[in-house]
Amino acid sequence: GESVGLHLPTLSVQEGDNSIINCAYSNSASDYFIWYKQESGKGPQFIIDIRSNMDKRQGQRVTVLLNKTVKHLSLQIAATQPGDSAVYFCAENTGFQKLVFGTGTRLLVSP
Amino acid sequence: KAGVTQTPRYLIKTRGQQVTLSCSPISGHRSVSWYQQTPGQGLQFLFEYFSETQRNKGNFPGRFSGRQFSNSRSEMNVSTLELGDSALYLCASSLDGGLGDSPLHFGNGTRLTVT
């Protein structure tokens, strides 16, 4: 069946550090992946996406890496700030915008 | 441009009642999806609509239904509420629902509590 899982439920970093959030997916046929950030009391906020024909994609302070060989996805946040504290979800698009979400990783940034 | 708007933000209902949640997508977006978020099950897909047609449905009982209007606004309905229906219901919209071309943008959800 379809499943997207996260390795670490909580990640604590110091302000200014780089953060890496990992995600494993099981559907090798999936060709589109998305990272979302969810703050308390809000809906998931789109961060960055990547197609399976790419290995890496960069945004502002964020980079997503995709390793199709081992079905692994990661989100790198450079110079992490307190405002980055949130729960991060990876999601796999299985068609017609049916997203399968991971369980989420809570990122805690200490000043 | 205004984001996805969901109303109401909070609802408290009693078991056995029914509830209707409303969603206004981002202007120009024609695809609307609904998700349920609970601490135990995480984010789960309910259904997706495009041009007033349901194109995809998740594994939820028939008590969960939805519709989309000609202006792309959407509603979802839950009948005969159960305690387990307590959750955050999220609506998301995208331009056309196509794979990889227009990511989903979520609203802030409706928090439903069933007592």
Side-chain angles (χ1 to χ4, degrees), chain B residues 16-76:
Chain B
Q17 289 185 315
Q18 73 167 12
V19 66
T20 299
L21 312 181
S22 181
C23 172
S24 294
I26 292 172
S27 178
H29 284 194
R30 297 171 63 191
S31 169
V32 174
S33 301
W34 289 88
Y35 287 79
Q36 181 196 65
Q37 185 174 28
T38 60
Q41 299 298 319
L43 281 145
Q44 293 188 295
F45 173 78
L46 281 157
F47 24 66
E48 188 262 353
Y49 289 88
F50 181 80
S51 293
E52 302 179 65
T53 300
Q54 185 184 89
R55 298 195 298 184
N56 205 348
K57 189 177 189 303
N59 297 322
F60 280 82
R63 299 185 297 106
F64 292 81
S65 63
R67 59 177 176 169
Q68 186 181 33
F69 302 96
S70 58
N71 61 359
S72 295
R73 191 176 67 84
S74 178
E75 290 181 346
M76 68 163 283

